[in-house]
Amino acid sequence: MSIFATASPTVGSATAKDGGGTVAAWLFLCCALIFLMVVIGGITRLTLSGLSITEWNPVVGVVPPLSATDWAAVFAKYKEIPEYRAVHSLMRLDEFKGIYLWEYAHRLLGRLIALVYAIPFAWFLVRGRLPRRLIPPLGGILLLGFAQGGLGWYMVESGLVDRPEVSQYRLVAHLALALAIYAAILWAALGIVGRAPHPSPLPASGEREGPAKREGEGQSGVAVSASWVLWRWAGDAVLLLVALTILAGGFVAGTRAGLTYNTFPLMDGRLVPEGYAQLRPFVLNWFENIAAVVVILLVSAAGWRSVLPRPARAALHGLVAIALLQVALGITTLVLVAPIPLAAAHQAGAVLLLTAAIVLRHTLRRVPIVDAASRAPI
């Protein structure tokens, strides 16, 4: 959260030279590309395409195989790894091209994101168009992006020698870092375009503040400030649970546990099926986890009874809608044994849910304007 804390400049600091619009648009574009990257990464995993390119080659690898000889060479390298022998031993060259192109698209998009982020960052920095408070966190995000490239290869490398698939731990680490980068960029962009409400009530024009009025407002302000802390805690809880659920989903994908119990609401006709506690890591035993959805619904119920600022209420409603959609997608994907289009939509829904949780938490970062007649937000 240190990046999040420093990446929330006031509107005034962002508008000093740039108006904030260009910088915010650039950051939102990066978020959109990372969102697409996560979805394509999920499809790459679902189609077992991730190990089809057995070399890193960050620069030379931009050029795909262009001739029959080139295709034969990369296919021959793929035949040398355990996945080919264990899973794709009967694969033909035309089938190999299909999985190769998914992994190639994934890596090419990663290179594009690096350019789309690094070049404008350098240009804005040199031209002095970045808010000063954004420079350290945005520079840190750039370093995290380079680390993500190395971590991606470290993940692929785990499936090239001794095992027919990548390590689920490295897979989840790769996913976690991608989402952390996405969240940090989104938070910075929201900090530019969002208008934080004034932390204390302002007297009406020409109105004098008497001792009784100031005392009433002070008591109301204290109540709102205290209750707003509770709302921020609720936002933190939602964000944490959504993130943990996504990472648990990464373990499910990494071990293909989602293909184990494909009935709902019971699992193989039982609430707790035989052998359920034997899944490793143990977090996989929670892949029917509904904690995040329950907390979202509870927070939503509290929101209906509270006086929330309009941005926070809108963000809360959006969060609930996306959570319910994600539940429907998850159940359908599970029952239909994870068809690729539905599974990809479910992964996209997870990132949308994370986005909604971040937006909600961002709207709760300041105490709203109140007066003595207002009810406390919670």
Side-chain angles (χ1 to χ4, degrees):
M1 291 298 292
S2 60
I3 289 179
F4 294 170
T6 57
S8 297
T10 62
V11 175
S13 65
T15 59
K17 296 184 179 180
D18 178 65
T22 305
V23 175
W26 159 61
L27 293 174
F28 282 127
L29 173 61
C30 291
C31 286
L33 290 175
I34 295 173
F35 184 102
L36 181 61
M37 181 76 163
V38 172
V39 174
I40 291 180
I43 296 174
T44 300
R45 175 65 189 177
L46 290 166
T47 57
L48 302 181
S49 304
L51 296 177
S52 57
I53 302 179
T54 59
E55 297 176 334
W56 191 11
N57 294 333
V59 178
V60 181
V62 173
V63 181
L66 299 175
S67 65
T69 302
D70 293 339
W71 277 113
V74 295
F75 191 29
K77 291 177 181 178
Y78 179 67
K79 290 180 178 180
E80 296 174 359
I81 69 171
E83 182 183 77
Y84 174 79
R85 296 188 295 271
V87 181
H88 291 151
S89 60
L90 300 179
M91 176 175 281
R92 300 186 305 271
L93 178 59
D94 58 338
E95 295 171 322
F96 171 73
K97 290 181 180 179
I99 66 170
Y100 183 97
L101 290 176
W102 275 118
E103 175 63 10
Y104 173 75
H106 185 60
R107 297 194 187 193
L108 186 64
L109 184 56
R111 294 179 175 98
L112 176 62
I113 292 172
L115 294 177
V116 170
Y117 187 89
I119 293 175
F121 173 73
W123 188 84
F124 286 133
L125 186 62
V126 170
R127 297 296 297 268
R129 300 183 70 178
L130 286 176
R132 283 180 296 178
R133 292 179 62 186
L134 274 180
I135 294 175
L138 292 183
I141 291 171
L142 180 62
L143 295 179
L144 289 178
F146 291 134
Q148 176 72 337
L151 182 57
W153 174 246
Y154 180 65
M155 175 192 69
V156 170
E157 193 178 34
S158 66
L160 298 180
V161 179
D162 299 322
R163 50 186 297 163
E165 58 187 4
V166 300
S167 164
Q168 66 268 29
Y169 301 102
R170 299 186 192 185
L171 174 70
V172 172
H174 189 50
L175 174 63
L177 185 53
L179 295 178
I181 293 171
Y182 174 84
I185 295 175
L186 178 60
W187 189 272
L190 292 173
I192 293 175
V193 301
R195 292 189 176 185
H198 196 281
S200 61
L202 297 175
S205 176
E207 179 182 356
R208 299 185 61 183
E209 293 183 273
K213 180 175 179 59
R214 285 198 300 268
E215 181 181 355
E217 287 184 349
Q219 294 173 354
S220 178
V222 170
V224 170
S225 179
S227 60
W228 207 244
V229 171
L230 297 178
W231 270 111
R232 286 199 294 267
W233 287 351
D236 289 338
V238 168
L239 185 55
L240 177 62
L241 286 171
V242 168
L244 289 177
T245 301
I246 294 175
L247 296 184
F251 278 114
V252 171
T255 59
R256 302 177 193 171
L259 303 177
T260 304
Y261 304 108
N262 296 102
T263 58
F264 185 87
L266 300 179
M267 304 169 69
D268 283 355
R270 301 175 58 180
L271 183 62
V272 180
E274 185 177 356
Y276 188 59
Q278 297 174 5
L279 293 175
R280 292 294 181 269
F282 186 74
V283 70
L284 293 184
N285 301 299
W286 305 338
F287 77 86
E288 293 279 357
N289 190 343
I290 60 170
V293 176
V294 170
V295 170
I296 289 171
L297 293 178
L298 290 175
V299 172
S300 175
W304 281 106
R305 300 175 56 251
S306 304
V307 178
L308 287 174
R310 185 175 301 172
R313 184 172 293 277
L316 184 57
H317 291 170
L319 178 68
V320 172
I322 295 173
L324 295 177
L325 174 63
Q326 183 68 347
V327 169
L329 280 172
I331 294 172
T332 307
T333 302
L334 180 71
V335 172
L336 297 181
V337 197
I340 291 176
L342 270 178
H346 187 52
Q347 180 145 339
V351 184
L352 280 178
L353 190 62
L354 178 66
T355 303
I358 292 170
V359 171
L360 173 64
R361 181 58 182 85
H362 195 272
T363 64
L364 300 173
R365 70 197 186 284
R366 297 285 184 88
V367 178
I369 300 174
V370 295
D371 56 36
S374 297
R375 290 190 293 125
I378 193 169

